[in-house]
Amino acid sequence: MPTGSPLPSPMALKRSSPQHSMFKKRSSQSLSHMASAASYLSALSQADARARNSNGMSPTSTPALSLSSSVTSSSEDTVLNEDDELDNGDGLVIPTRPPTSEQVFTTVHSEFGHCANEEYRCVSQHTPGTIIPGHVEQDPPYYILLSTYISYLILICLGHFRDFFGKRFNPSAYRHLMAHDGYAPLNSDFDSFYTRRLKLRMDECFSQPITGVAGRTIQLLDRYSPDYNHTQILTGTRTRALNISSYNYLGFAQARGGCADVVEETIKRYGVTTCGTRLEGGTSELHTFSEALVAQFLGVEDALISSMGFATNSNYIPALVGKGCLIISDELNHASIRFGVRLSGASVRTFKHNDMASLESLLREVISQGQLKTHRPWKKILLIVEGLYSMEGTFVNLPAIMELKRKYKFYLFIDEAHSVGALGPHGRGVADYFNVDPRSIDILMGTFTKSFGAAGGYIAGNKALIDRLRLRGYSGAYAEAMTPPVLTQIIASMASIMGVNLPPPSTSSRHGSVGPADEIYQYPGPVPASSLPSWVTLPTALSSSEEGRDRLRRLTFNSRYFHSGLVKLGFITYGHPSSPVIPLLVFNPGKMNMFHRMMKDRKTPIIVVVVAYPATPLVTSRVRFCVSAAHTKEDIDCILRACDEVGDILDLKHGIPKSERWAIEDIVGRAVELANA
Amino acid sequence: MASTATPLEPIFSFVVESLLALERAFYSLPGSGIIERYIRSSHQNDPGRTLLELILVVLVIRTLLQSRTRADRTGKSFIKFSDKEVDELVDEWVPEPLSLPLTSQEELELSSVPVVVGQSGPKPKLAATGKVAVSLSGLNFTGLAGNEHIKAKAIEALRKYGVGSCGPAGFYGTTDAHLALERDIADFLGTETAILYSQGFSTITSVIPAFCKRGDIIVADRGVSFPIQKAMQISRSIIRWYDHNDLQSLEEVLQGIEKERKKKRGPLTRRFIVTEGIFEKDGLMVDLPKLIELKLKYKYRLILDESYSFGIVGRTGRGLTELYNVPASKVDMLLGSVAIGLCAAGGFCAGTEFVTEHQRINGLGFVFSASMPPLLSVSGSEGINILRSSPSIFESLQENVRAARAILDRVDCITIPSHPASPMIHIQIRSPSVPTLHPSAAAHLSLKPSNPSFILPKDASNWDWDVETEEVLLHEVVEEALSQGVMIAKAQRLRGQEMVEVRPSIRLAMTSTLTKKETEKAVGIVKASLVKVLGKRRL
């Protein structure tokens, strides 16, 4: 990095304490009279203007800035240097309620919301003995179903009608679907029917380009289409919106803060690449550090890291099973799992989503019948399930599966792409949530994209297995190794959840153990500083795991509050009440586009993800929310209010009967009660 | 009687009432009259037809309700067991272990994987020895790894975007950084557009199945890399093979297919030629103008994997199209690696607007994966900037390649199949008996062509090399060179999983960052190690 860089030093956060005291002094002098948010804001904008004029960037010249967040001590802050952001009516950039003198926030509000209320915290944990909700499909009234089917019928009829006549009267527009010059069409009109006739119509909901961090808020690059979505033209303007769509469960999508500072240091020290595959000289010490840390985090012997989440499944499942083996797969498993299964050459059977009775009867059948035709016993049976299903929000019924595993001796592969980090009192995923010993699960797979703000994936298990996979998986020999900045993000974010012990701890606390008396698996406590690269220094908020713990509990509170809020408003939702993925069913395909647009066009724009056939069954089109620890309670309130209004207009409330519903103000007021219910 | 009638009466009246209600509801539906008239008249004309239609309706409902997983219970091979028998079978069944422990050879291999401390590049510091070695194994052809401009841009991007992109491209995972790199690649190559994937391997395994479906025809080179083989396996297309880098053989295969199609009068299907620019397995280079000529003549679409030529050969690194002065737009799908060519991460497919837009919905690795970290795409864009503005990089790279070849070509215990201009140089052990053993060289000896339906060429039975002994020897060479301070790597293969066993080789990757002198010195050490280890074997 050039020396004259305006970026703050990696140690910027260390300065928080002097700022803190400085601020305390000021708050008693000049800010005490600011009673209303408006006066606070005007002071802020004045301070900002002053900061813009003066080039010397001492924190004392910008009292209000250091007040809103202690990291914004630099003029180059991505958030505050935008001229159009000074109007803070929507509370997206600067909290509507100014912090009190005791509160010091080390995050940028637009990336990771400021929330100091200890009431808005929950622990994600399964209460033993309670029933694990299966996948219950709640049916809407018949008129909704009927109109949904009719919508699709009209769509299909009109679509084929247009195709038929279009090909005859306007062949130039259908050129790519018809054979020409002796070439067969690259795309058959049948295969692309839904793309052309359904997706194209609602293209404004998809592939929206953004800029900046996809954290608590997101900046959309505005666009419009002059020709019915065939082309999208960027207008050059930007809109900041509340983001409840990105996979950012623990809120580590941050361009500022301890993790980003360490990543900057890595880029300086290691560059952005390791030049090659893992087995051909592309292995860096950072790989060794992060793999050991991941294994420790999950409580297993060893782990390996792959540079892409999708490829973790598709490149390693074939190394586990082959011909003569059977894979039993949940019907809603992710495409990457299906891809890997197809490459492996093993036989596949599927069972009904998260239905343990269906699984058991299938197990009894396949074990007793043996291989197809030959009836020889299967070499291995591998059950592949996901910890948290990304489209339904259901948790796998792990206790029941462990029971079945003991009886039927299959191997268990859990894809924790969405659950690792997001579930469990320690954030270690679904095994942590259900308090199952992680070492009793054969293969734990997961990704770093969703909870850790990084990229890529891991596979963890016992050492012999992982070593075998290092050699036999496709990635080791043929795919590029993971890059240093991403590895460091993983190290920093995981260490901040586990905590770092500066003095070398006694060996007993380092390793997870099963207490003989209570049979409860203890996750290893803080990691010794020696398991991080020597140059990595995390600010105390991170190394004490205080912030990490806070993130876990904020996520659970937000998920539980939002989920029960939607239910109490009368919506049909799927999934576990603690799931950070919350699908809201809209059924009619036409409502998806409307829902998306009405949420985006509000005063505080909210962006959502809508999913339809073929990603879901035909009738159950849905909106999928991904709650984050970065959201404040006010954000969730805001989204619930928006859903309430839009839901009324679009007639989406078909869940619990009217008499049991709550008014929005009740929900917002009794949030803590709802979340802890 | 009366006692039985009384409890039944309300039931009867209920049935009658509900029937009446049903009837009323039916007639209140618009169009019910037409249905009623149709059924009445159809029943009157042919009562048998009503029965037939009823059976049809029942059949349809049954098919709809039948679950897929239960379908083969009725199959011939299904044996019925009682619950007790099933329990016994379950108790008896013992699965094989999930994974076998590593053999001592494999353990050695895994433990000797070099670990780099700090910056990877031409002179990495190794964790095992703590010393700095000269690397001829890192894929850092143009020296972009560790470039200070790229680092500065990456840090800037980090402070703007964070690290992860936190979503698939379809759902708020596309940033302006991704769009910029796509545009830069397309501009650089001269294609309409490009699409980015987050891993090189997955680029290939996504692009090919996105276009090639069941029933389509793929004509592929016998020496294509492992990801291409896997991609073709996923695509379920019909695959025909032609001899490695032999375009005459390709033409024969194309003619054969055309003849077959005319004979069968089959429908026109999509047809593709799949090959690599510089082959990952041995560094051979395809004759692109001839290939384009054939593709146009026989009306095939060309999928060209330029993972080891994009950013590596050509006057400014545009790859094979620049080297041969062929417009990139003539290649239908041009694949490349951002990880290798631009020292960042991921891969891309460049082509027409239609080709890339199609992948945005059908490329599995694009749709179902988070987009690459924006700071890496910014690094890629900066990499292109550097390549564009400094052609001298490629001059010094080629100079190093020539210097290396000048030394290696004179070593008589090895064969080098690679193209003289290829910065990736494969070194194979020369077999003592036969002077030329390279498959493509031997293929010309016999007149009968290989069977295009099989990947094994006809001379495969003549291969006299033994994978294991050669692997061990090459491993010794690698260790020997490392002890002299030069880091080289054996080309890694998944033995038993490649469709054709690949002859073991050492893969050198030249880099422009080393001076000619340094290169000569390092390659000299490689030569000495080769002679030392392989010469011993001769005696």
Side-chain angles (χ1 to χ4, degrees), chain A residues 217-250:
Chain A
T217 66
I218 198 165
Q219 275 186 292
L220 310 176
L221 300 177
D222 299 327
R223 58 180 184 177
Y224 72 99
S225 176
D227 53 0
Y228 304 104
N229 292 341
H230 285 283
T231 49
Q232 300 278 0
I233 298 168
L234 295 179
T235 58
T237 55
R238 292 183 279 182
T239 308
R240 188 175 283 279
L242 196 55
N243 179 12
I244 184 139
S245 299
S246 293
Y247 303 136
N248 179 28
Y249 300 132
L250 292 181

Side-chain angles (χ1 to χ4, degrees), chain A residues 124 247-250 294-300 302-304 308-310 312-313 317 330 332-334 336-337 383-391 394-399 401-402 412-453 455-461 494 521 523 552 555 580-581:
Chain A
S124 160
Y247 303 136
N248 179 28
Y249 300 132
L250 292 181
V294 169
Q296 237 174 331
F297 182 82
L298 297 167
V300 292
D302 205 355
L304 65 83
M308 180 186 181
F310 183 91
T312 315
N313 277 330
I317 290 176
D330 190 292
L332 295 181
N333 273 349
H334 190 251
S336 59
I337 298 177
L383 174 67
I384 305 185
V385 290
E386 289 185 38
L388 163 59
Y389 288 83
S390 60
M391 285 292 168
T394 35
F395 290 179
V396 67
N397 191 338
L398 193 57
I401 284 185
M402 296 313 288
L412 179 57
F413 180 113
I414 304 188
D415 178 338
E416 295 220 69
H418 287 265
S419 50
V420 70
L423 303 187
H426 311 87
R428 312 296 157 86
V430 74
D432 187 19
Y433 182 84
F434 288 113
N435 205 355
V436 170
D437 184 352
R439 289 164 304 181
S440 62
I441 298 165
D442 302 284
I443 305 131
L444 286 167
M445 176 268 166
T447 64
F448 304 112
T449 320
K450 280 95 181 178
S451 292
F452 304 102
Y458 66 81
I459 290 193
M494 275 197 174
Y521 180 80
Y523 278 92
L552 296 172
L555 173 65
V581 177

Side-chain angles (χ1 to χ4, degrees), chain A residues 181 184 207 210 247 255 261 264 268 280 283 285 307 342 349-350 369 375 379 409 411 453 478 480 608, chain B residues 69 73 77 79 87 90-91 93 96 116 151 159 164 166 170 172 174 199-200 234 299 301 346 492 498:
Chain A
D181 314 333
S207 302
I210 61 152
Y247 303 136
D261 293 341
E264 179 178 329
K268 286 182 195 158
E280 294 171 333
T283 302
E285 56 172 341
S307 55
R342 259 169 74 186
R349 297 292 296 275
T350 57
Q369 294 293 322
H375 289 288
K379 289 181 182 163
K409 296 171 278 191
Y411 297 110
Y478 302 104
E480 74 239 28
V608 297
Chain B
T69 48
R73 271 199 191 189
S77 66
I79 309 167
D87 282 335
V90 165
D91 283 341
W93 182 60
E96 283 181 9
V116 174
K151 283 188 186 179
R159 292 307 182 178
C166 296
Y172 311 101
T174 313
Q199 190 190 50
I234 280 283
K299 299 197 185 296
R301 293 187 172 95
Q492 291 291 336
E498 293 255 9

Side-chain angles (χ1 to χ4, degrees), chain A residues 183-195:
Chain A
Y183 289 93
L186 206 44
N187 196 353
S188 82
D189 54 354
F190 182 76
D191 285 347
S192 66
F193 186 80
Y194 278 97
T195 312

Side-chain angles (χ1 to χ4, degrees), chain B residues 204-449:
Chain B
I204 301 161
T205 52
S206 303
V207 174
I208 295 180
F211 293 104
C212 313
K213 309 277 180 195
R214 198 190 288 274
D216 295 345
I217 295 172
I218 298 178
V219 181
D221 189 292
R222 283 203 160 84
V224 290
S225 64
F226 187 76
I228 299 185
Q229 293 173 13
K230 288 291 144 191
M232 292 195 289
Q233 182 192 335
I234 280 283
S235 76
R236 295 175 173 153
S237 305
I238 301 162
I239 302 166
R240 293 285 178 270
W241 303 95
Y242 68 91
D243 285 338
H244 183 37
N245 207 22
D246 181 349
L247 295 188
Q248 203 182 335
S249 160
L250 168 64
E251 182 153 21
E252 282 160 22
V253 173
L254 296 181
Q255 277 168 350
I257 293 169
E258 190 58 23
K259 230 181 262 168
E260 202 180 325
R261 190 177 78 88
K262 279 198 177 132
K263 205 164 71 188
K264 277 193 190 158
R265 291 199 188 147
L268 186 64
T269 51
R270 284 178 286 255
R271 295 169 301 187
F272 300 88
I273 296 173
V274 177
T275 185
E276 289 176 79
I278 289 182
F279 287 90
E280 183 261 340
K281 279 182 180 169
D282 52 19
L284 275 174
M285 196 185 285
V286 77
D287 180 359
L288 191 60
K290 174 82 180 154
L291 184 64
I292 302 260
E293 188 191 311
L294 287 178
K295 143 201 146 56
L296 291 174
K297 182 171 167 196
Y298 291 93
K299 299 197 185 296
Y300 277 63
R301 293 187 172 95
L302 176 60
I303 302 181
L304 183 69
D305 177 6
E306 287 224 58
S307 292
Y308 287 87
S309 50
F310 170 79
I312 299 166
V313 297
R315 199 182 60 81
T316 53
R318 289 175 168 86
L320 231 53
T321 47
E322 188 179 31
L323 194 70
Y324 284 107
N325 205 9
V326 174
S329 51
K330 297 246 175 178
V331 181
D332 299 84
M333 294 108 196
L334 197 158
L335 310 184
S337 170
V338 181
I340 299 169
L342 302 174
C343 288
F348 67 86
C349 171
T352 59
E353 173 105 32
F354 179 76
V355 162
T356 52
E357 285 308 309
H358 179 81
Q359 291 172 57
R360 287 181 206 279
I361 304 141
N362 297 287
L364 287 176
F366 183 83
V367 176
F368 292 103
S369 161
S371 52
M372 73 162 83
L375 72 90
L376 293 173
S377 29
V378 170
S379 308
S381 288
E382 186 58 21
I384 289 186
N385 268 345
I386 293 170
L387 296 190
R388 266 181 204 270
S389 57
S390 38
S392 62
I393 291 177
F394 293 93
E395 279 161 28
S396 47
L397 177 61
Q398 280 303 321
E399 199 179 350
N400 287 346
V401 172
R402 278 193 299 274
R405 289 301 290 261
I407 296 170
L408 291 172
D409 284 343
R410 277 185 281 142
V411 182
D412 58 358
C413 54
I414 55 165
T415 341
I416 298 180
S418 309
H419 189 275
S422 161
M424 176 176 64
I425 302 171
H426 279 266
I427 301 174
Q428 296 171 346
I429 300 173
R430 185 189 292 259
S431 300
S433 49
V434 194
T436 54
L437 207 101
H438 190 260
S440 69
H444 295 292
L445 298 176
S446 128
L447 290 169
K448 206 169 140 258

Side-chain angles (χ1 to χ4, degrees), chain A residues 1-2 7 78 176 179 181-188 195 199 206-214 218 221 245-247 253-256 260-261 263-264 267-276 278-281 283-285 288 307-308 310-311 315 320 334-335 339 342-343 349-350 361 364-365 367-369 375 377-381 407-409 411 442-443 449 453-455 465 467-468 470-474 477-480 483 485-486 489 596 607-610, chain B residues 69 72-73 77-79 81 83 86-87 89-91 93 95-102 106 110 113-120 137-140 145 148 151-152 154-155 158-164 166-172 174-176 179 198-202 205 211 226 230 233-234 236 268-272 295-296 299-301 333 339 343-346 354-355 358 361 364-365 368-370 373 375-376 379 487 489-495 497-498 507:
Chain A
M1 200 175 79
L7 295 172
T78 48
H176 57 277
D181 314 333
Y183 289 93
L186 206 44
N187 196 353
S188 82
T195 312
K199 184 183 165 284
F206 305 117
S207 302
Q208 165 79 54
I210 61 152
T211 186
V213 181
I218 198 165
L221 300 177
S245 299
S246 293
Y247 303 136
Q254 287 174 293
R256 303 275 150 185
D261 293 341
V263 174
E264 179 178 329
I267 298 176
K268 286 182 195 158
R269 283 171 181 260
Y270 294 82
V272 291
T273 175
T274 61
C275 306
R278 286 298 299 280
L279 296 178
E280 294 171 333
T283 302
S284 156
E285 56 172 341
T288 326
S307 55
M308 180 186 181
F310 183 91
N315 291 357
L320 290 166
H334 190 251
F339 198 95
R342 259 169 74 186
L343 280 177
R349 297 292 296 275
T350 57
S361 83
R364 292 177 71 82
E365 185 198 320
I367 295 177
S368 63
Q369 294 293 322
H375 289 288
W378 296 103
K379 289 181 182 163
K380 310 171 205 173
I381 295 180
K407 185 168 176 200
Y408 295 98
K409 296 171 278 191
Y411 297 110
D442 302 284
I443 305 131
T449 320
L465 173 77
D467 277 345
R468 167 68 53 197
R470 283 192 172 110
L471 285 177
R472 300 294 292 173
Y474 299 166
Y478 302 104
E480 74 239 28
T483 58
V486 180
Q489 172 75 17
H596 177 268
I607 54 150
V608 297
V609 164
V610 293
Chain B
T69 48
D72 44 1
R73 271 199 191 189
S77 66
F78 189 85
I79 309 167
F81 291 108
D83 273 359
V86 174
D87 282 335
L89 284 166
V90 165
D91 283 341
W93 182 60
E96 283 181 9
L98 186 55
S99 68
L100 296 172
L102 298 185
E106 285 170 323
L110 198 59
V113 170
V115 178
V116 174
V117 179
Q119 175 78 55
S120 304
S137 66
L139 302 178
N140 179 28
E148 292 300 325
K151 283 188 186 179
I155 290 172
L158 165 72
R159 292 307 182 178
K160 186 169 174 197
Y161 301 100
V163 178
C166 296
F171 297 135
Y172 311 101
T174 313
T175 63
D176 43 354
L179 297 177
S198 39
Q199 190 190 50
F201 189 100
S202 299
T205 52
F211 293 104
F226 187 76
K230 288 291 144 191
Q233 182 192 335
I234 280 283
R236 295 175 173 153
L268 186 64
T269 51
R270 284 178 286 255
R271 295 169 301 187
F272 300 88
K295 143 201 146 56
L296 291 174
K299 299 197 185 296
Y300 277 63
R301 293 187 172 95
M333 294 108 196
C343 288
F354 179 76
V355 162
H358 179 81
I361 304 141
L364 287 176
F368 292 103
S369 161
L375 72 90
L376 293 173
S379 308
M487 179 171 146
K490 213 168 51 165
Q492 291 291 336
R493 308 277 165 221
L494 284 182
R495 296 286 164 203
Q497 296 209 33
E498 293 255 9
R507 195 193 62 193

